[in-house]
């Protein structure tokens, strides 16, 4: 087949891949998304967007679309099955999460990527790749070859791209497994609620959620499996009902499964997020237990960090080393998520030791400062990239604030950098094609702040020379 050419191929059309495609198209990068499934699976493993992901949607003008099909929730300290009141003083103008099924998230991000001009090909499975100094050639299962300057693997925990690129995936294999599925049930809601409350006194890996995706009578069941199945095949209805009876003493009369699946507690992270012209994002770069609901969010946040950097590289205006900051910034964040999901799995244990630890941890989370810390950890609003020594804001993202005209996040819809200038005398001349200046702003109590396209602070100060240095560091050489 012919060898067509594009700027970036994204392998995987889940939330991470679609978010990345939209971010790249925002900057005019040619994008082809290759998704091996001919149709969306309908499975809804990820059912929530945390506060930082909500902020990102607002920063790109997508939040209203998501609010129209989701509900806000404010479960603070959602850590290891321990739910505490939402803490006061969390550093965000969006102190909530969104309860939304993964199919809706994918549908909205798919629509956004297509609106911006991304090409999305379904039923296209990547089976081969080879890269050279100028680009990557990707082969699909039907023998088609597609050439691109870069390839990003967003193709899940068993990533073909990662394996073909020879990137190691060290970590720990699964030691426990959990069954997950959406099913109808004949038991009445009061009985189901009573049984769940009793079982969860000792088994926090068990849970039932009613009215899944707004469908009355359809429940999301989560139940510990009997062991670990190496072949990863979906459980049968018989296996599911057997495990329900073993854990709850009843199968609730479940029938007509919408879908059934299983997941383990394996914890792994790619050794590197980039090798040459091949990069990884989302589950292709890291897998961990879903406790805390961070997997889908972590992937979207990877894409938000990578998109503008890769776009600058494709456009030929990226400063030296910019693309490598993707690994430098996101690998530590992924490692931290893996670490605290391991801690959460320990808290979910049923042995006396984990039970005692859970009781202690619950008391600690009643302390406001601890609850706020844990909530900031789970929601990712406390993420701070290591950009060196300097002002405490350096490397952090800014919350949304009012501006003389509109809001801060409204000014970020185009994905450009922003200079928030209270001095009235700084300039972005030479970078005006990539960075906007917002004068007379009270967005912060410092003289001026330079924001990257992902909203993280790249510089704080009032010296024009220092500002020019940081503009060149993050946005490339001045023009004109």
């Amino acid at each position: 087949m012919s060898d067509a050419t594009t700027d970036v191929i994204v392998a995987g059309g889940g939330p991470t891949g679609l978010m990345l495609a939209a971010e790249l198209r925002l900057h005019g990068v040619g994008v082809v998304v290759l998704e091996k499934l001919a149709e969306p699976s309908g499975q809804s493993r990820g059912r929530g967007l945390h506060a930082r992901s909500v902020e990102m949607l607002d920063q790109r003008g997508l939040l209203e679309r998501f609010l129209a099909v989701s509900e806000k929730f404010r479960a603070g300290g959602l850590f290891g099955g321990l739910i505490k009141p939402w803490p006061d003083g969390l550093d965000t103008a969006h102190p909530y999460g969104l309860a939304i099924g993964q199919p809706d998230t994918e549908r909205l991000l798919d629509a956004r990527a297509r609106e911006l001009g991304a090409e999305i090909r379904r039923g296209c499975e990547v089976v081969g790749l080879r890269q050279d100094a100028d680009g990557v050639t990707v082969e699909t299962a039907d023998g088609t070859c597609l050439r691109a300057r870069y390839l990003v693997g967003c193709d899940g925990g068993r990533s073909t791209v990662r394996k073909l690129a020879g990137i190691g995936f060290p970590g720990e294999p699964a030691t426990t497994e959990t069954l997950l599925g959406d099913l109808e049930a004949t038991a009445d809601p009061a009985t189901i609620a009573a049984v769940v409350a009793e079982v969860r006194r000792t088994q926090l890996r068990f849970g039932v959620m009613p009215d899944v995706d707004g469908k009355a009578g359809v429940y999301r069941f989560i139940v510990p499996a009997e062991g670990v199945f190496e072949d990863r095949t979906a459980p049968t209805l018989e296996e599911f009902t057997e495990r329900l009876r073993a854990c709850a003493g009843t199968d609730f009369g479940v029938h007509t499964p919408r879908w059934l699946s299983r997941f383990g507690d394996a914890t792994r992270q790619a050794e590197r997020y980039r090798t040459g012209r091949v990069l990884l994002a989302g589950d292709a770069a890291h897998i961990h237990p879903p406790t805390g609901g961070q997997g889908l969010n972590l992937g979207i946040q990877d894409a938000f960090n990578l998109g503008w950097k890769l776009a600058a590289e494709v456009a030929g205006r990226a400063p030296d080393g910019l693309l490598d900051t993707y690994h430098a910034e996101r690998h530590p964040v992924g490692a931290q998520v893996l670490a605290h999901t391991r801690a959460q799995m320990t808290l979910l244990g049923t042995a006396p030791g984990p039970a005692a630890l859970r009781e202690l941890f619950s008391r600690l989370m009643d302390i406001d400062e601890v609850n706020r810390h844990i909530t900031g950890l789970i929601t990712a609003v406390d993420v701070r990239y290591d950009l060196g020594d300097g002002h405490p804001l350096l490397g952090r993202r800014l919350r949304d604030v009012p501006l003389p005209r509109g809001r801060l996040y409204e000014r970020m819809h185009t994905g450009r950098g922003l200079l928030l200038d209270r001095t009235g005398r700084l300039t972005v001349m030479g970078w005006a094609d990539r960075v906007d200046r917002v004068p007379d702003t009270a967005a912060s109590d410092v003289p001026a702040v330079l924001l990257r396209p992902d909203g993280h602070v790249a510089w704080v100060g009032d010296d024009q020379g220092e500002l020019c240095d940081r503009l060149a560091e993050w946005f490339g050489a001045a023009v004109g």
Side-chain angles (χ1 to χ4, degrees), residues 2 8 41 97 114 130 150 157 163 187 198 215 283 293 318 360 381 384 398 400-401 405 427 451 464-465:
S2 62
V8 177
S41 69
R114 292 178 189 272
R130 59 184 184 276
Y150 288 90
K163 295 171 184 175
E198 179 62 26
K215 299 172 183 175
D283 287 353
L360 171 61
V381 299
R384 180 178 186 268
L398 289 188
D400 191 27
V401 292
R405 295 181 181 178
T427 178
L451 293 181
Q464 182 66 50

Side-chain angles (χ1 to χ4, degrees), residues 169-464:
F169 203 43
E172 299 85 45
T175 59
T176 63
E177 196 163 75
T178 304
L179 306 185
L180 176 70
D182 292 348
L183 307 94
E184 296 182 31
T186 58
D188 66 89
T191 298
I192 294 176
V195 172
V196 170
E198 179 62 26
V199 174
R200 283 183 60 83
R201 292 175 59 186
T202 57
Q203 178 52 273
L204 291 177
R205 288 173 54 211
F206 180 87
V208 182
M209 291 175 284
D211 302 334
V212 175
D213 296 334
K215 299 172 183 175
V218 178
Y219 295 82
R220 164 71 50 84
F221 287 89
I222 305 169
V223 57
E226 184 175 12
V228 176
F229 290 76
E230 297 298 331
D231 61 7
R232 310 300 298 162
T233 56
T236 63
L237 179 59
E238 180 181 11
E239 180 186 354
F240 213 100
T241 56
E242 286 179 356
R243 293 310 302 158
L244 285 172
R245 288 192 292 268
C247 292
T250 175
D251 62 14
F252 303 101
V254 295
H255 63 93
T256 319
R258 300 299 199 268
W259 59 271
L260 302 174
S261 184
R262 67 175 83 241
F263 62 87
D265 63 344
T267 306
R268 298 183 180 276
Q269 185 176 26
E271 291 177 333
R272 55 193 186 279
Y273 286 11
R274 178 192 178 193
T275 178
R277 292 179 176 268
V278 178
L279 300 103
L280 304 175
D283 287 353
H286 38 69
I287 60 170
H288 55 86
T291 307
Q294 293 172 266
L296 185 152
N297 290 270
L298 187 60
I300 288 176
Q301 291 156 23
D302 285 345
F304 207 67
N305 181 284
L306 174 59
W308 66 278
K309 298 174 180 178
L310 184 53
E313 190 74 24
V314 169
R317 53 178 171 76
D320 290 343
L322 178 66
L323 194 54
D324 288 328
T325 67
Y326 169 61
H327 171 91
E329 293 176 358
R330 293 305 297 173
H331 195 276
V333 172
Q336 182 184 55
V337 171
L338 265 62
H340 64 65
T341 52
R342 289 185 181 103
Q344 291 182 76
M345 289 304 293
T346 298
L347 291 175
L348 292 175
T350 57
L357 185 61
R358 187 165 59 247
E359 181 180 353
L360 171 61
F361 207 89
S362 180
R363 292 200 300 269
L364 289 173
M365 287 177 61
D366 288 332
I367 301 172
D368 290 341
E369 185 176 352
V370 175
N371 190 14
R372 187 160 46 250
H373 173 76
I374 293 298
T375 304
L377 198 70
I378 292 291
T379 60
V381 299
D382 283 350
V383 167
R384 180 178 186 268
Y385 298 135
D386 183 6
L387 304 189
D389 297 332
H391 194 278
L393 284 177
L394 192 65
R396 296 185 62 88
R397 96 283 175 267
L398 289 188
R399 62 184 290 159
D400 191 27
V401 292
L403 297 177
R405 295 181 181 178
R407 300 180 293 114
L408 173 60
Y409 284 5
E410 288 175 338
R411 295 297 300 265
M412 304 183 73
H413 290 181
T414 60
R416 292 161 58 87
L418 281 180
L419 174 66
L420 307 178
D421 180 19
R422 297 183 68 186
T423 72
R425 56 180 174 76
L426 297 175
T427 178
V428 294
M429 190 69 67
W431 292 271
D433 60 328
R434 288 153 280 174
V435 181
D436 295 325
R437 175 178 173 270
V438 181
D440 303 323
T441 174
S444 65
D445 59 0
V446 295
V449 174
L450 178 64
L451 293 181
R452 309 185 322 185
D454 59 1
H456 283 259
V457 175
W459 173 78
V460 178
D462 61 3
D463 181 82
Q464 182 66 50

Side-chain angles (χ1 to χ4, degrees), residues 32-50:
V32 176
V33 178
L34 303 180
E35 168 53 51
K36 70 177 181 179
L37 296 180
E39 299 292 338
S41 69
Q43 295 188 10
S44 185
R45 288 179 175 234
R47 290 193 48 78
L49 295 173
H50 288 311

